[in-house]
Amino acid sequence: MVTIRLSRGGSKKNPFYQIVVADIRAKRDGRYIERLGFFNPNARGGEVPLRIDRERADHWIRQGAQPTDRARQLLKQATREAAAAAA
């Protein structure tokens, strides 16, 4: 089974997450199939806090990938931000 989840990077007390498609048996920060974007919870100033390739994410969801709860929230947030930017 394939899942869409967060992979942690960054340093101690300064997290940076990659949104990845990975086999459910792979380690959290281990091997992944494809990188869909990133999430920076500590973004300040002109830094971009969230970037996701929605087209590829939708592709993987159609193929049966199950997003984790947090990944699902971030996908919804990215969709709302894209809609607001288009309007």
Side-chain angles (χ1 to χ4, degrees):
M1 184 172 183
V2 178
T3 185
I4 299 174
R5 64 182 180 202
L6 301 179
S7 176
R8 192 182 192 283
S11 58
K12 184 177 179 181
K13 299 192 184 216
N14 188 21
F16 186 89
Y17 299 96
Q18 307 235 11
I19 301 165
V20 298
V21 177
D23 189 288
I24 200 161
R25 296 169 292 185
K27 295 178 183 177
R28 178 193 72 181
D29 300 334
R31 200 167 167 189
Y32 59 87
I33 300 167
E34 183 178 353
R35 179 177 177 254
L36 300 177
F38 66 85
F39 171 57
N40 183 2
N42 296 329
R44 303 236 184 317
E47 295 178 6
V48 179
L50 176 65
R51 183 176 300 149
I52 299 176
D53 185 349
R54 275 302 302 191
E55 187 175 308
R56 292 301 295 165
D58 291 339
H59 165 78
W60 280 106
I61 291 171
R62 283 192 305 271
Q63 297 301 318
Q66 296 293 316
T68 60
D69 292 338
R70 185 62 176 146
R72 185 176 290 116
Q73 289 175 354
L74 292 173
L75 290 169
K76 286 181 184 178
Q77 180 181 343
T79 303
R80 284 193 305 265
E81 288 176 0

